[in-house]
Amino acid sequence: MRAPHRWRRPAVTVAATLTALTLGTGIASAGQDGWGRPTPGSDGGGDSYYPQDGNGGYDVSDYDLKVTYAPDSHQLTGLQTVYARATQSLSSFNLDLKGLTVDSVKVNGLPAKFSRTGDHELVITPRFPLLRGLPFRAEIAYHGIPQAIEDPNLGANGWQYAKSGGAFVAGEPKSATTWYPVNDTPLDKARFHLAITVPDEWGVISNGREKGTYKTAAGTTHVWSEDTPAVPYMTTVAIDKWTFDKRQRADGTPIVSAFAPGTPDSTKQADARLPEILDFLESKFGKYPVDAAGGIYLAEPIGFSLETLSRPIYSGRAGNVSTIVHENAHQWYGDTVAVDHWKDVCLNECFASYATWLWSQAKDGQDLDARYLKTVAAASDQFWAGKLYDMGPGNEFTYVYSKGPVMLHALSKYLGQAAFDQVLKTWNGLHHNGNASMQEFQHYCEAVGHKDLQGFFDAWIYGNGKPAPEYLYPGDLKPANG
Protein backbone atom coordinates (compact mmCIF):
# COMPACT_ATOMS: atom_id res chain seq x y z
CA MET A 1 0.00 0.00 0.00
CA ARG A 2 1.15 3.49 -0.82
CA ALA A 3 -0.94 5.62 1.52
CA PRO A 4 -0.96 9.33 0.67
CA HIS A 5 1.22 11.60 2.73
CA ARG A 6 -0.36 14.17 4.98
CA TRP A 7 1.08 17.61 5.39
CA ARG A 8 -0.07 21.18 5.63
CA ARG A 9 -0.11 23.43 2.63
CA PRO A 10 3.28 25.15 2.32
CA ALA A 11 3.45 28.75 3.43
CA VAL A 12 4.64 31.53 1.16
CA THR A 13 7.96 31.56 3.05
CA VAL A 14 8.97 28.26 1.45
CA ALA A 15 10.43 30.11 -1.56
CA ALA A 16 12.66 32.21 0.69
CA THR A 17 13.70 29.15 2.67
CA LEU A 18 14.70 27.25 -0.45
CA THR A 19 16.54 30.28 -1.78
CA ALA A 20 18.58 30.48 1.39
CA LEU A 21 19.30 26.76 1.36
CA THR A 22 20.42 26.63 -2.24
CA LEU A 23 22.33 29.95 -2.35
CA GLY A 24 23.83 29.72 1.11
CA THR A 25 25.12 26.15 1.04
CA GLY A 26 25.29 25.15 -2.63
CA ILE A 27 24.15 21.95 -4.25
CA ALA A 28 27.21 19.95 -3.25
CA SER A 29 26.68 20.87 0.39
CA ALA A 30 23.02 19.90 0.09
CA GLY A 31 24.15 16.47 -1.05
CA GLN A 32 26.42 16.18 1.99
CA ASP A 33 23.46 17.04 4.21
CA GLY A 34 21.52 14.07 2.82
CA TRP A 35 19.23 15.80 0.33
CA GLY A 36 21.07 14.35 -2.65
CA ARG A 37 22.15 16.02 -5.88
CA PRO A 38 19.15 17.50 -7.70
CA THR A 39 18.22 15.60 -10.85
CA PRO A 40 15.17 15.65 -13.15
CA GLY A 41 12.11 13.75 -11.99
CA SER A 42 11.04 10.90 -14.25
CA ASP A 43 8.63 11.67 -17.08
CA GLY A 44 6.50 8.59 -16.38
CA GLY A 45 4.82 6.94 -13.42
CA GLY A 46 6.16 3.48 -14.17
CA ASP A 47 2.98 1.67 -15.21
CA SER A 48 3.77 -1.21 -17.56
CA TYR A 49 0.79 -0.36 -19.81
CA TYR A 50 1.01 3.44 -19.82
CA PRO A 51 4.64 4.22 -18.92
CA GLN A 52 4.44 7.92 -19.84
CA ASP A 53 1.37 8.61 -17.72
CA GLY A 54 2.21 10.21 -14.41
CA ASN A 55 5.62 11.39 -13.26
CA GLY A 56 8.19 10.71 -10.56
CA GLY A 57 10.06 12.71 -7.96
CA TYR A 58 7.18 14.16 -5.97
CA ASP A 59 3.87 13.41 -4.25
CA VAL A 60 0.90 15.72 -4.66
CA SER A 61 -1.25 16.46 -1.62
CA ASP A 62 -3.70 18.95 -3.12
CA TYR A 63 -4.89 20.40 -6.42
CA ASP A 64 -6.46 23.86 -6.12
CA LEU A 65 -7.94 24.58 -9.55
CA LYS A 66 -9.55 27.81 -10.72
CA VAL A 67 -11.24 27.65 -14.14
CA THR A 68 -13.32 29.99 -16.27
CA TYR A 69 -15.28 28.31 -19.06
CA ALA A 70 -17.31 29.88 -21.89
CA PRO A 71 -19.79 27.37 -23.36
CA ASP A 72 -20.37 29.45 -26.50
CA SER A 73 -16.69 29.44 -27.55
CA HIS A 74 -15.56 26.32 -25.63
CA GLN A 75 -12.69 28.43 -24.30
CA LEU A 76 -11.24 27.36 -20.95
CA THR A 77 -8.86 29.50 -18.90
CA GLY A 78 -7.27 27.90 -15.86
CA LEU A 79 -4.95 28.52 -12.95
CA GLN A 80 -3.81 25.29 -11.33
CA THR A 81 -2.01 25.34 -7.98
CA VAL A 82 -0.28 22.07 -7.13
CA TYR A 83 0.77 21.47 -3.53
CA ALA A 84 3.34 18.67 -3.36
CA ARG A 85 6.40 17.28 -1.59
CA ALA A 86 9.62 16.36 -3.35
CA THR A 87 10.54 12.68 -2.90
CA GLN A 88 13.96 13.35 -4.44
CA SER A 89 15.94 16.52 -4.91
CA LEU A 90 14.62 17.91 -8.19
CA SER A 91 16.32 20.06 -10.79
CA SER A 92 13.11 19.78 -12.83
CA PHE A 93 9.82 17.89 -12.74
CA ASN A 94 6.95 17.07 -15.09
CA LEU A 95 3.20 17.40 -15.07
CA ASP A 96 0.80 15.92 -17.62
CA LEU A 97 -1.30 18.25 -19.78
CA LYS A 98 -2.66 17.47 -23.22
CA GLY A 99 -3.20 20.09 -25.91
CA LEU A 100 -3.80 23.25 -23.90
CA THR A 101 -1.48 26.29 -24.02
CA VAL A 102 0.61 27.07 -20.95
CA ASP A 103 0.98 30.81 -20.34
CA SER A 104 3.20 30.93 -17.26
CA VAL A 105 4.57 28.80 -14.44
CA LYS A 106 5.68 29.74 -10.96
CA VAL A 107 7.29 27.48 -8.37
CA ASN A 108 7.21 28.68 -4.77
CA GLY A 109 6.13 32.10 -6.04
CA LEU A 110 9.04 32.54 -8.45
CA PRO A 111 8.81 32.40 -12.26
CA ALA A 112 9.97 29.04 -13.61
CA LYS A 113 11.08 27.88 -17.03
CA PHE A 114 8.87 25.38 -18.83
CA SER A 115 8.73 23.40 -22.07
CA ARG A 116 6.47 20.86 -23.74
CA THR A 117 7.59 17.44 -24.96
CA GLY A 118 5.88 14.36 -26.32
CA ASP A 119 2.13 13.92 -26.29
CA HIS A 120 1.39 15.52 -22.91
CA GLU A 121 4.54 16.33 -20.94
CA LEU A 122 4.94 19.73 -19.30
CA VAL A 123 8.56 20.03 -18.09
CA ILE A 124 9.06 22.61 -15.31
CA THR A 125 12.46 23.88 -14.25
CA PRO A 126 12.25 25.95 -11.05
CA ARG A 127 14.64 28.82 -10.42
CA PHE A 128 16.10 26.92 -7.49
CA PRO A 129 16.22 23.14 -7.04
CA LEU A 130 13.57 21.47 -4.91
CA LEU A 131 15.11 19.55 -2.04
CA ARG A 132 14.03 16.07 -1.08
CA GLY A 133 11.45 15.93 1.70
CA LEU A 134 10.42 19.58 1.46
CA PRO A 135 7.03 20.83 0.30
CA PHE A 136 6.65 23.03 -2.76
CA ARG A 137 3.94 24.87 -4.65
CA ALA A 138 3.60 25.11 -8.43
CA GLU A 139 1.20 27.49 -10.19
CA ILE A 140 0.39 26.93 -13.85
CA ALA A 141 -1.66 29.43 -15.88
CA TYR A 142 -3.06 28.03 -19.11
CA HIS A 143 -5.86 28.31 -21.66
CA GLY A 144 -7.35 26.70 -24.73
CA ILE A 145 -10.18 24.62 -26.11
CA PRO A 146 -10.13 21.17 -24.45
CA GLN A 147 -10.19 18.14 -26.71
CA ALA A 148 -11.11 14.56 -25.75
CA ILE A 149 -8.76 11.59 -26.06
CA GLU A 150 -10.12 9.07 -28.55
CA ASP A 151 -10.05 5.47 -27.30
CA PRO A 152 -10.61 2.72 -29.89
CA ASN A 153 -12.82 0.73 -27.51
CA LEU A 154 -14.51 3.31 -25.29
CA GLY A 155 -14.69 6.29 -27.63
CA ALA A 156 -14.05 9.80 -26.31
CA ASN A 157 -12.37 10.18 -22.91
CA GLY A 158 -11.82 13.35 -20.90
CA TRP A 159 -13.39 16.72 -21.66
CA GLN A 160 -16.45 16.26 -23.87
CA TYR A 161 -19.19 18.51 -25.20
CA ALA A 162 -22.91 18.06 -24.61
CA LYS A 163 -25.50 18.72 -27.30
CA SER A 164 -27.09 21.23 -24.95
CA GLY A 165 -23.97 23.39 -25.24
CA GLY A 166 -22.58 22.28 -21.89
CA ALA A 167 -19.60 20.04 -21.20
CA PHE A 168 -18.56 17.16 -18.96
CA VAL A 169 -15.45 15.15 -18.06
CA ALA A 170 -15.37 11.34 -18.04
CA GLY A 171 -12.68 8.87 -18.96
CA GLU A 172 -10.52 5.97 -17.82
CA PRO A 173 -7.61 5.30 -17.60
CA LYS A 174 -6.98 8.96 -18.42
CA SER A 175 -9.09 12.09 -18.65
CA ALA A 176 -7.79 14.78 -16.26
CA THR A 177 -4.95 15.76 -18.61
CA THR A 178 -7.50 17.15 -21.08
CA TRP A 179 -8.46 20.02 -18.76
CA TYR A 180 -5.82 20.61 -16.08
CA PRO A 181 -2.12 19.95 -15.33
CA VAL A 182 -1.83 16.83 -13.19
CA ASN A 183 0.35 13.93 -12.08
CA ASP A 184 -1.74 11.42 -14.00
CA THR A 185 -1.10 8.14 -12.17
CA PRO A 186 -3.26 6.09 -9.78
CA LEU A 187 -0.26 6.03 -7.43
CA ASP A 188 -0.55 9.74 -6.60
CA LYS A 189 -3.91 10.51 -5.03
CA ALA A 190 -4.65 14.04 -3.91
CA ARG A 191 -7.42 16.24 -2.62
CA PHE A 192 -9.22 18.18 -5.34
CA HIS A 193 -10.62 21.69 -4.97
CA LEU A 194 -12.37 23.39 -7.87
CA ALA A 195 -13.70 26.91 -8.38
CA ILE A 196 -15.23 27.16 -11.85
CA THR A 197 -16.83 30.27 -13.33
CA VAL A 198 -19.51 29.92 -16.02
CA PRO A 199 -22.27 32.20 -17.35
CA ASP A 200 -25.12 32.60 -14.87
CA GLU A 201 -27.60 30.42 -16.79
CA TRP A 202 -25.42 27.30 -16.50
CA GLY A 203 -25.23 24.91 -13.56
CA VAL A 204 -22.15 23.03 -12.36
CA ILE A 205 -21.56 19.80 -10.48
CA SER A 206 -18.25 18.24 -9.46
CA ASN A 207 -16.73 15.90 -6.87
CA GLY A 208 -17.15 16.17 -3.12
CA ARG A 209 -19.04 18.84 -1.25
CA GLU A 210 -20.56 22.01 -2.62
CA LYS A 211 -18.98 25.00 -0.90
CA GLY A 212 -21.15 27.74 -2.35
CA THR A 213 -21.37 30.16 -5.25
CA TYR A 214 -20.58 33.81 -5.80
CA LYS A 215 -21.05 36.33 -8.60
CA THR A 216 -18.20 37.68 -10.71
CA ALA A 217 -17.93 39.86 -13.82
CA ALA A 218 -17.68 36.67 -15.91
CA GLY A 219 -20.75 34.97 -14.37
CA THR A 220 -21.16 32.70 -11.36
CA THR A 221 -18.33 30.89 -9.64
CA HIS A 222 -19.19 27.43 -8.26
CA VAL A 223 -16.91 26.02 -5.57
CA TRP A 224 -16.55 22.28 -4.91
CA SER A 225 -14.20 20.46 -2.54
CA GLU A 226 -13.24 16.77 -2.59
CA ASP A 227 -11.26 16.00 0.56
CA THR A 228 -11.15 12.25 -0.01
CA PRO A 229 -7.86 11.76 -1.92
CA ALA A 230 -8.67 11.02 -5.56
CA VAL A 231 -6.91 9.39 -8.48
CA PRO A 232 -6.89 11.97 -11.31
CA TYR A 233 -9.29 10.11 -13.61
CA MET A 234 -11.83 10.06 -10.78
CA THR A 235 -12.14 13.86 -10.84
CA THR A 236 -14.86 15.45 -12.93
CA VAL A 237 -16.86 18.55 -13.67
CA ALA A 238 -20.12 18.80 -15.62
CA ILE A 239 -21.78 21.95 -16.94
CA ASP A 240 -25.42 21.92 -18.09
CA LYS A 241 -28.92 23.20 -17.34
CA TRP A 242 -29.16 20.70 -14.50
CA THR A 243 -32.07 19.76 -12.29
CA PHE A 244 -30.60 19.05 -8.85
CA ASP A 245 -31.76 16.69 -6.12
CA LYS A 246 -30.08 17.36 -2.75
CA ARG A 247 -30.50 14.99 0.18
CA GLN A 248 -28.57 13.46 3.06
CA ARG A 249 -27.79 9.97 4.24
CA ALA A 250 -28.89 9.10 7.75
CA ASP A 251 -25.36 9.87 8.99
CA GLY A 252 -25.44 13.34 7.41
CA THR A 253 -23.35 12.56 4.31
CA PRO A 254 -24.59 14.96 1.59
CA ILE A 255 -26.10 13.44 -1.55
CA VAL A 256 -26.24 15.68 -4.61
CA SER A 257 -27.50 14.34 -7.93
CA ALA A 258 -27.78 16.29 -11.18
CA PHE A 259 -30.08 15.42 -14.08
CA ALA A 260 -29.54 16.75 -17.59
CA PRO A 261 -32.55 18.13 -19.47
CA GLY A 262 -34.68 15.30 -20.78
CA THR A 263 -33.65 12.77 -18.14
CA PRO A 264 -36.45 10.17 -17.95
CA ASP A 265 -38.45 9.67 -14.77
CA SER A 266 -37.20 6.07 -14.60
CA THR A 267 -33.66 7.34 -14.08
CA LYS A 268 -34.76 9.73 -11.32
CA GLN A 269 -36.64 6.88 -9.65
CA ALA A 270 -33.53 4.70 -9.79
CA ASP A 271 -31.41 7.47 -8.28
CA ALA A 272 -33.99 7.87 -5.50
CA ARG A 273 -32.85 4.44 -4.27
CA LEU A 274 -29.26 5.62 -3.79
CA PRO A 275 -29.49 5.82 0.02
CA GLU A 276 -30.80 2.23 0.06
CA ILE A 277 -28.01 1.18 -2.32
CA LEU A 278 -25.29 2.77 -0.19
CA ASP A 279 -26.71 1.18 2.97
CA PHE A 280 -26.63 -2.21 1.25
CA LEU A 281 -23.08 -1.80 -0.04
CA GLU A 282 -21.99 -0.61 3.39
CA SER A 283 -23.35 -3.84 4.88
CA LYS A 284 -21.14 -5.83 2.49
CA PHE A 285 -17.99 -3.70 2.19
CA GLY A 286 -17.76 -1.72 5.42
CA LYS A 287 -18.39 1.95 6.20
CA TYR A 288 -18.98 4.20 3.20
CA PRO A 289 -15.46 5.56 2.60
CA VAL A 290 -16.13 8.88 0.83
CA ASP A 291 -17.18 12.31 2.11
CA ALA A 292 -20.15 12.84 -0.25
CA ALA A 293 -22.42 10.95 -2.65
CA GLY A 294 -24.75 11.40 -5.60
CA GLY A 295 -24.76 11.02 -9.36
CA ILE A 296 -24.35 12.96 -12.61
CA TYR A 297 -26.90 11.82 -15.20
CA LEU A 298 -25.99 12.86 -18.74
CA ALA A 299 -28.23 13.15 -21.75
CA GLU A 300 -25.44 11.89 -24.02
CA PRO A 301 -25.23 8.10 -24.53
CA ILE A 302 -21.44 7.88 -24.16
CA GLY A 303 -19.72 4.49 -24.26
CA PHE A 304 -19.55 3.95 -20.50
CA SER A 305 -20.58 5.12 -17.06
CA LEU A 306 -17.77 5.92 -14.63
CA GLU A 307 -17.10 5.80 -10.91
CA THR A 308 -15.95 9.42 -10.54
CA LEU A 309 -15.21 9.84 -6.85
CA SER A 310 -18.23 10.48 -4.61
CA ARG A 311 -20.41 11.23 -7.63
CA PRO A 312 -20.44 8.71 -10.51
CA ILE A 313 -21.25 9.97 -13.98
CA TYR A 314 -23.81 8.01 -16.00
CA SER A 315 -24.18 7.65 -19.72
CA GLY A 316 -27.55 8.78 -21.04
CA ARG A 317 -30.17 6.05 -20.63
CA ALA A 318 -27.82 4.09 -18.32
CA GLY A 319 -29.32 5.45 -15.11
CA ASN A 320 -30.71 2.15 -13.84
CA VAL A 321 -30.39 0.49 -10.45
CA SER A 322 -27.87 -2.14 -11.56
CA THR A 323 -25.51 0.48 -13.01
CA ILE A 324 -25.90 2.66 -9.91
CA VAL A 325 -24.98 -0.32 -7.72
CA HIS A 326 -21.94 -1.05 -9.89
CA GLU A 327 -20.56 2.49 -9.94
CA ASN A 328 -21.10 3.05 -6.24
CA ALA A 329 -19.43 -0.25 -5.35
CA HIS A 330 -16.37 1.30 -6.95
CA GLN A 331 -16.27 3.88 -4.17
CA TRP A 332 -14.81 1.03 -2.13
CA TYR A 333 -13.24 -1.06 -4.89
CA GLY A 334 -11.35 1.18 -7.29
CA ASP A 335 -11.67 4.63 -5.74
CA THR A 336 -10.59 4.62 -2.09
CA VAL A 337 -8.54 1.51 -2.83
CA ALA A 338 -7.05 2.06 -6.28
CA VAL A 339 -4.89 -0.22 -8.37
CA ASP A 340 -1.12 -0.34 -8.08
CA HIS A 341 -0.93 -0.84 -11.84
CA TRP A 342 -3.53 -1.10 -14.58
CA LYS A 343 -2.90 -4.84 -14.90
CA ASP A 344 -4.59 -5.10 -11.46
CA VAL A 345 -7.87 -3.64 -12.78
CA CYS A 346 -9.87 -6.73 -11.74
CA LEU A 347 -9.58 -5.33 -8.21
CA ASN A 348 -11.87 -2.56 -9.48
CA GLU A 349 -14.21 -4.10 -12.02
CA CYS A 350 -14.57 -7.70 -10.86
CA PHE A 351 -15.79 -6.51 -7.47
CA ALA A 352 -18.11 -3.80 -8.75
CA SER A 353 -19.65 -6.37 -11.10
CA TYR A 354 -20.04 -8.90 -8.30
CA ALA A 355 -21.78 -6.24 -6.21
CA THR A 356 -24.66 -6.39 -8.70
CA TRP A 357 -24.85 -10.16 -8.09
CA LEU A 358 -25.04 -9.58 -4.33
CA TRP A 359 -27.72 -6.93 -4.85
CA SER A 360 -29.84 -9.26 -7.00
CA GLN A 361 -29.54 -11.96 -4.34
CA ALA A 362 -30.57 -9.65 -1.50
CA LYS A 363 -33.26 -7.62 -3.28
CA ASP A 364 -34.60 -9.96 -5.95
CA GLY A 365 -34.06 -13.33 -4.30
CA GLN A 366 -31.77 -14.57 -7.05
CA ASP A 367 -30.01 -17.92 -6.44
CA LEU A 368 -26.37 -17.06 -7.09
CA ASP A 369 -25.28 -20.70 -7.18
CA ALA A 370 -27.80 -21.34 -9.96
CA ARG A 371 -26.65 -18.22 -11.79
CA TYR A 372 -23.04 -19.36 -11.50
CA LEU A 373 -23.73 -22.87 -12.74
CA LYS A 374 -25.77 -21.60 -15.66
CA THR A 375 -23.01 -19.18 -16.65
CA VAL A 376 -20.30 -21.83 -16.39
CA ALA A 377 -22.32 -24.33 -18.43
CA ALA A 378 -22.86 -21.82 -21.22
CA ALA A 379 -19.33 -20.37 -21.20
CA SER A 380 -17.44 -20.42 -24.49
CA ASP A 381 -13.77 -21.08 -25.10
CA GLN A 382 -13.42 -17.34 -25.64
CA PHE A 383 -14.88 -16.71 -22.18
CA TRP A 384 -12.33 -19.00 -20.55
CA ALA A 385 -9.49 -17.47 -22.54
CA GLY A 386 -10.30 -14.00 -21.19
CA LYS A 387 -7.70 -12.78 -18.71
CA LEU A 388 -8.46 -11.21 -15.35
CA TYR A 389 -4.88 -10.11 -14.66
CA ASP A 390 -2.25 -8.56 -16.90
CA MET A 391 -4.59 -8.64 -19.88
CA GLY A 392 -2.60 -6.07 -21.83
CA PRO A 393 -3.14 -2.38 -22.57
CA GLY A 394 -6.46 -1.74 -24.26
CA ASN A 395 -7.91 -5.00 -22.92
CA GLU A 396 -8.50 -3.92 -19.33
CA PHE A 397 -12.24 -3.40 -19.69
CA THR A 398 -13.31 -6.72 -21.17
CA TYR A 399 -13.66 -9.99 -19.24
CA VAL A 400 -13.47 -8.32 -15.82
CA TYR A 401 -17.21 -7.62 -16.22
CA SER A 402 -18.29 -11.14 -17.21
CA LYS A 403 -15.70 -13.64 -16.01
CA GLY A 404 -14.79 -11.46 -13.01
CA PRO A 405 -17.94 -11.91 -10.90
CA VAL A 406 -18.03 -15.63 -11.77
CA MET A 407 -14.50 -15.96 -10.39
CA LEU A 408 -15.43 -14.17 -7.18
CA HIS A 409 -18.42 -16.44 -6.60
CA ALA A 410 -16.14 -19.45 -7.02
CA LEU A 411 -13.68 -17.85 -4.58
CA SER A 412 -16.44 -17.45 -2.00
CA LYS A 413 -16.97 -21.22 -2.16
CA TYR A 414 -13.31 -22.18 -2.26
CA LEU A 415 -12.29 -19.85 0.57
CA GLY A 416 -15.45 -20.37 2.62
CA GLN A 417 -18.31 -17.90 2.87
CA ALA A 418 -17.42 -16.50 6.30
CA ALA A 419 -13.82 -15.81 5.35
CA PHE A 420 -14.85 -14.37 1.97
CA ASP A 421 -17.38 -12.02 3.61
CA GLN A 422 -14.70 -10.88 6.05
CA VAL A 423 -12.32 -10.12 3.18
CA LEU A 424 -14.96 -8.08 1.34
CA LYS A 425 -15.74 -6.06 4.45
CA THR A 426 -12.19 -5.37 5.65
CA TRP A 427 -10.15 -4.95 2.45
CA ASN A 428 -11.00 -1.26 2.17
CA GLY A 429 -9.98 -0.53 5.72
CA LEU A 430 -6.67 -2.31 5.17
CA HIS A 431 -5.78 -0.17 2.13
CA HIS A 432 -7.98 2.88 2.77
CA ASN A 433 -7.04 5.84 0.53
CA GLY A 434 -4.16 3.79 -0.87
CA ASN A 435 -3.34 1.34 -3.64
CA ALA A 436 -3.12 -2.41 -3.88
CA SER A 437 -2.10 -5.25 -6.19
CA MET A 438 -3.71 -8.55 -7.03
CA GLN A 439 -0.89 -10.35 -5.21
CA GLU A 440 -1.68 -8.39 -2.05
CA PHE A 441 -5.32 -9.38 -2.39
CA GLN A 442 -4.35 -13.05 -2.76
CA HIS A 443 -2.14 -12.94 0.32
CA TYR A 444 -4.84 -11.24 2.35
CA CYS A 445 -7.39 -13.88 1.36
CA GLU A 446 -4.91 -16.57 2.36
CA ALA A 447 -4.30 -14.93 5.72
CA VAL A 448 -8.00 -14.54 6.50
CA GLY A 449 -8.98 -18.00 5.24
CA HIS A 450 -5.87 -19.82 6.53
CA LYS A 451 -5.62 -21.49 3.14
CA ASP A 452 -3.14 -21.68 0.26
CA LEU A 453 -4.88 -20.10 -2.73
CA GLN A 454 -2.09 -20.24 -5.30
CA GLY A 455 -3.78 -22.99 -7.30
CA PHE A 456 -7.10 -21.11 -7.37
CA PHE A 457 -5.51 -17.81 -8.40
CA ASP A 458 -3.40 -19.52 -11.07
CA ALA A 459 -6.51 -21.20 -12.47
CA TRP A 460 -8.88 -18.24 -12.43
CA ILE A 461 -6.81 -15.05 -12.42
CA TYR A 462 -3.19 -15.43 -13.49
CA GLY A 463 -3.96 -18.05 -16.14
CA ASN A 464 -6.45 -17.97 -18.99
CA GLY A 465 -7.95 -21.41 -19.44
CA LYS A 466 -10.91 -23.29 -18.04
CA PRO A 467 -10.18 -24.08 -14.38
CA ALA A 468 -9.84 -27.67 -13.22
CA PRO A 469 -12.95 -29.13 -11.53
CA GLU A 470 -11.62 -28.55 -8.01
CA TYR A 471 -11.56 -24.79 -8.72
CA LEU A 472 -14.56 -24.70 -11.06
CA TYR A 473 -16.91 -26.52 -8.64
CA PRO A 474 -15.56 -25.76 -5.16
CA GLY A 475 -17.55 -26.23 -1.96
CA ASP A 476 -21.18 -27.13 -2.57
CA LEU A 477 -21.16 -26.11 -6.25
CA LYS A 478 -21.83 -29.14 -8.45
CA PRO A 479 -21.94 -29.47 -12.23
CA ALA A 480 -25.40 -29.81 -13.75
CA ASN A 481 -24.80 -33.49 -14.50
CA GLY A 482 -23.02 -34.15 -11.27
Side-chain angles (χ1 to χ4, degrees):
M1 181 181 72
R2 293 175 178 83
H5 300 278
R6 304 292 191 200
W7 60 88
R8 293 183 181 274
R9 290 185 177 184
V12 294
T13 55
V14 168
T17 302
L18 291 180
T19 301
L21 286 169
T22 53
L23 292 180
T25 63
I27 300 304
S29 177
Q32 294 171 359
D33 289 340
W35 280 306
R37 182 173 296 279
T39 56
S42 65
D43 64 352
D47 188 84
S48 58
Y49 291 179
Y50 307 102
Q52 295 305 116
D53 289 357
N55 307 281
Y58 61 94
D59 279 337
V60 179
S61 64
D62 204 316
Y63 295 107
D64 192 350
L65 178 59
K66 295 178 175 61
V67 168
T68 298
Y69 179 68
D72 57 349
S73 64
H74 294 175
Q75 187 73 24
L76 181 148
T77 303
L79 177 63
Q80 171 73 295
T81 304
V82 180
Y83 295 92
R85 180 180 61 85
T87 58
Q88 69 177 71
S89 290
L90 291 165
S91 58
S92 66
F93 64 95
N94 287 25
L95 288 167
D96 300 304
L97 180 66
K98 187 175 177 64
L100 300 171
T101 299
V102 176
D103 300 309
S104 66
V105 177
K106 292 182 180 180
V107 177
N108 294 325
L110 301 176
K113 295 179 180 179
F114 64 92
S115 61
R116 305 295 292 270
T117 64
D119 176 63
H120 58 256
E121 299 292 340
L122 170 61
V123 184
I124 298 173
T125 304
R127 181 175 297 184
F128 302 107
L130 304 174
L131 301 184
R132 179 170 59 86
L134 294 184
F136 68 92
R137 182 183 77 255
E139 298 170 81
I140 303 95
Y142 63 101
H143 75 277
I145 297 176
Q147 299 295 326
I149 300 166
E150 290 297 328
D151 184 277
N153 297 315
L154 299 176
N157 280 260
W159 189 281
Q160 303 175 54
Y161 298 100
K163 292 179 181 178
S164 65
F168 58 92
V169 178
E172 184 184 13
K174 60 187 82 178
S175 68
T177 57
T178 63
W179 68 295
Y180 66 87
V182 64
N183 190 21
D184 196 17
T185 168
L187 295 176
D188 197 0
K189 294 182 174 184
R191 295 180 292 273
F192 179 71
H193 304 284
L194 174 67
I196 179 168
T197 304
V198 295
D200 293 338
E201 66 269 23
W202 294 92
V204 171
I205 189 164
S206 184
N207 307 88
R209 299 192 178 208
E210 189 176 17
K211 295 297 184 178
T213 61
Y214 57 90
K215 297 286 187 179
T216 71
T220 301
T221 300
H222 304 257
V223 182
W224 291 83
S225 175
E226 180 54 87
D227 290 322
T228 301
V231 171
Y233 79 85
M234 297 172 190
T235 63
T236 189
V237 67
I239 303 150
D240 214 317
K241 307 290 180 65
W242 303 109
T243 299
F244 290 97
D245 184 2
K246 300 181 180 182
R247 299 160 284 168
Q248 285 188 344
R249 294 190 70 204
D251 65 0
T253 301
I255 300 174
V256 181
S257 293
F259 306 98
T263 299
D265 288 342
S266 59
T267 293
K268 296 178 181 179
Q269 291 163 4
D271 177 79
R273 299 185 71 180
L274 182 56
E276 176 191 0
I277 290 169
L278 293 177
D279 288 347
F280 170 78
L281 293 172
E282 197 170 67
S283 74
K284 296 295 183 181
F285 301 151
K287 182 176 173 56
Y288 182 61
V290 191
D291 61 352
I296 303 170
Y297 296 90
L298 303 173
E300 276 64 31
I302 60 174
F304 54 89
S305 297
L306 186 65
E307 61 273 17
T308 38
L309 185 66
S310 73
R311 195 154 290 113
I313 191 164
Y314 298 94
S315 172
R317 298 190 295 275
N320 55 68
V321 168
S322 181
T323 305
I324 294 171
V325 170
H326 179 106
E327 301 305 340
N328 280 280
H330 274 308
Q331 305 305 306
W332 287 262
Y333 284 88
D335 286 23
T336 52
V337 182
V339 294
D340 258 353
H341 299 280
W342 283 105
K343 63 185 178 182
D344 297 307
V345 72
C346 181
L347 292 176
N348 298 5
E349 301 299 344
C350 295
F351 290 85
S353 298
Y354 193 58
T356 67
W357 282 42
L358 297 174
W359 173 269
S360 67
Q361 179 188 49
K363 303 296 181 176
D364 303 324
Q366 186 174 66
D367 184 335
L368 296 190
D369 289 354
R371 179 174 181 173
Y372 173 90
L373 293 171
K374 182 179 179 180
T375 304
V376 166
S380 64
D381 291 342
Q382 185 179 12
F383 177 92
W384 294 120
K387 295 196 69 176
L388 297 180
Y389 174 76
D390 201 6
M391 61 288 291
N395 299 314
E396 302 96 323
F397 306 107
T398 51
Y399 290 95
V400 289
Y401 301 103
S402 54
K403 187 178 178 182
V406 179
M407 175 275 294
L408 285 173
H409 194 67
L411 179 60
S412 74
K413 299 294 182 177
Y414 192 82
L415 186 62
Q417 194 65 52
F420 180 75
D421 290 346
Q422 183 179 347
V423 167
L424 288 186
K425 201 160 190 174
T426 56
W427 175 251
N428 184 274
L430 185 67
H431 296 279
H432 187 72
N433 286 344
N435 302 74
S437 69
M438 182 59 75
Q439 289 74 26
E440 287 176 299
F441 179 73
Q442 175 190 337
H443 297 328
Y444 186 57
C445 289
E446 290 174 331
V448 172
H450 306 288
K451 191 170 187 176
D452 184 348
L453 298 177
Q454 191 63 50
F456 181 93
F457 274 70
D458 285 342
W460 274 102
I461 297 172
Y462 305 137
N464 62 333
K466 187 174 183 177
E470 65 180 299
Y471 306 120
L472 191 60
Y473 301 109
D476 56 1
L477 291 173
K478 302 300 177 188
N481 60 356

